[in-house]
Amino acid sequence: MKLYIEEIKSGLKIKGLVDFELKNIFECGQCFRWYKEEDESYTVIAFGKILNIKKELDSFIFNNTNKRDFEDIWYNYFDLDRDYSEIKRVVSVDNIMKEATEFGSGIRILKQEPWEMMISFIISARNSIPNIKKTIEKISQAFGKKIGEYNGVEYFSFPTAKELKVISEEELKECGTSFRTKYILSTAKKVFETDNIDLICTQETKEARESLMEFSGIGPKVSDCILLFGMRKYDVFPVDVWVYRVIDEVYTKGEIKNLEKIREYGINMFGGYSGFGQQYLFYYAREKGIGKK
DNA sequence: GGGCAGGTCTAAG
DNA sequence: CTTAGACCTGCC
């Protein structure tokens, strides 16, 4: 992908981005710290920065950033080095997947921060996206650091394990963490004490997955999401209710009722590309309401 | 107002 | 080792 980057007053004007759609990227369930603005642009918080992106006719305007941050952070964050056209070809194993990849054509799997993914997906358990977003925003406002202002709005970083572990259960619960409160505090303490997130990132998928499941509130699905969205492991297949439904309805047709077996089914279908396959399938199923009674 | 939402934990069989 | 219930809260 050849990019043409022009420095402008508010940031950068970028041409040549392919397989890149803001709605697909931010609303496919992988990321929670984004805000859709009135002008249809998206503002996102990551790596201590505030970025706003607006789609124009033939380009994307990256506001509130510069060439250096684009090279150091955003190029990597948006996984721009990867050829998603090729990914889509590989995971289009049948007509359903062909449709799914066309539907979510602009999806990219963001390379997000492991620690933030751990807590975010603990919060995601049996929860809705608007609520997850709200809770994460409250936690950041209450316990993170102010990182700046954009368009008259203040933004805060997601607190570190050290900042989070000292919070009382009552305080944290006020952010809407509900029954997951003790999971979050337990995980924060354990992460701070063991300081082993970097180590887990270097482990092979299977081992890393087992390491993650040692933490409170992290089961099979949440650990797969952390691995995929925060640890660059693409051979995982997170099975949530939507993926379960679409696999059940389209492929296994009631023959498999076990979540673990559905996961194996997905991995058999996509192999090392399972994470990508899952994202296209998930986005397709959820946006279209497939399998919903 | 009852029912459920992008699971995990725990206690039993 | 597999399988029900409980778990908080907001929004139909």
Side-chain angles (χ1 to χ4, degrees), chain A residues 223-247:
Chain A
S223 81
D224 282 339
C225 287
I226 298 165
L227 289 164
L228 181 57
F229 306 130
M231 295 184 168
R232 297 93 176 104
K233 306 291 189 199
Y234 302 102
D235 52 346
V236 296
F237 193 77
V239 180
D240 54 59
V241 56
W242 289 101
V243 171
Y244 179 90
R245 283 179 191 151
V246 68
I247 297 272

Side-chain angles (χ1 to χ4, degrees), chain A residues 38 71 83 100 164 187-188 199 230-231 241 254 277:
Chain A
E38 284 180 1
E71 284 164 8
D83 181 356
L164 211 49
T187 293
L199 175 69
M231 295 184 168
V241 56

Side-chain angles (χ1 to χ4, degrees), chain A residues 44 54 79 219:
Chain A
V44 59
K54 184 165 168 57
D79 201 19

Side-chain angles (χ1 to χ4, degrees), chain A residues 54-83:
Chain A
K54 184 165 168 57
K55 186 179 185 178
E56 304 255 285
L57 281 177
D58 61 340
S59 61
F60 286 88
I61 308 297
F62 281 48
N63 287 310
N64 201 43
T65 189
N66 53 55
K67 215 161 179 178
R68 182 173 173 176
D69 277 354
F70 180 78
E71 284 164 8
D72 290 351
I73 300 173
W74 305 121
Y75 185 84
N76 192 43
Y77 179 74
F78 287 105
D79 201 19
L80 295 183
D81 212 23
R82 197 183 307 275
D83 181 356

Side-chain angles (χ1 to χ4, degrees), chain A residues 75-276:
Chain A
Y75 185 84
N76 192 43
Y77 179 74
F78 287 105
D79 201 19
L80 295 183
D81 212 23
R82 197 183 307 275
D83 181 356
Y84 277 76
S85 298
E86 172 65 15
I87 300 270
K88 283 183 273 186
R89 272 195 292 278
V90 174
V91 301
S92 291
V93 293
D94 54 30
N95 286 333
I96 295 292
M97 282 309 297
K98 210 167 284 173
E99 233 178 278
T101 54
E102 277 163 23
F103 183 77
S105 181
I107 288 177
R108 283 179 171 269
I109 295 190
L110 298 172
K111 291 180 173 172
Q112 304 181 76
E113 296 153 276
W115 154 250
E116 186 175 331
M117 290 303 99
M118 287 174 72
I119 301 302
S120 298
F121 281 95
I122 288 175
I123 294 169
S124 80
R126 201 179 166 75
N127 208 347
S128 63
I129 291 180
N131 267 336
I132 302 165
K133 278 164 64 72
K134 220 175 286 173
T135 297
I136 292 172
E137 180 56 31
K138 279 188 184 172
I139 289 175
S140 302
Q141 275 184 16
F143 311 112
K145 297 186 192 72
K146 182 177 169 182
I147 55 178
E149 230 171 271
Y150 179 75
N151 216 2
V153 181
E154 286 188 336
Y155 291 97
F156 297 83
S157 62
F158 188 79
T160 62
K162 189 179 177 180
E163 287 168 330
L164 211 49
K165 78 180 175 71
V166 295
I167 300 166
S168 73
E169 230 175 275
E170 295 72 32
E171 265 182 302
L172 187 54
K173 212 165 186 177
E174 279 175 29
C175 299
T177 49
S178 179
F179 61 88
R180 311 161 195 88
T181 308
K182 51 185 179 295
Y183 303 157
I184 296 169
L185 288 176
S186 160
T187 293
K189 281 178 188 135
K190 194 164 173 176
V191 164
F192 181 76
E193 282 160 16
T194 57
D195 192 28
N196 63 349
I197 290 186
D198 288 344
L199 175 69
I200 295 174
C201 289
T202 67
Q203 293 173 332
E204 292 295 313
T205 301
K206 187 167 180 278
E207 197 184 353
R209 191 166 188 266
E210 282 162 8
S211 301
L212 285 173
M213 287 202 277
E214 298 279 311
F215 293 94
S216 178
I218 301 182
K221 188 268 177 183
V222 168
S223 81
D224 282 339
C225 287
I226 298 165
L227 289 164
L228 181 57
F229 306 130
M231 295 184 168
R232 297 93 176 104
K233 306 291 189 199
Y234 302 102
D235 52 346
V236 296
F237 193 77
V239 180
D240 54 59
V241 56
W242 289 101
V243 171
Y244 179 90
R245 283 179 191 151
V246 68
I247 297 272
D248 182 56
E249 180 161 319
V250 177
Y251 296 104
T252 56
K253 302 185 192 298
E255 279 176 29
I256 303 178
K257 288 187 177 170
N258 178 298
L259 287 176
E260 172 61 19
K261 293 265 165 58
I262 295 281
R263 187 175 83 88
E264 284 167 15
Y265 189 92
I267 290 175
N268 280 335
M269 229 178 2
F270 303 117
Y273 290 80
S274 293
F276 300 103

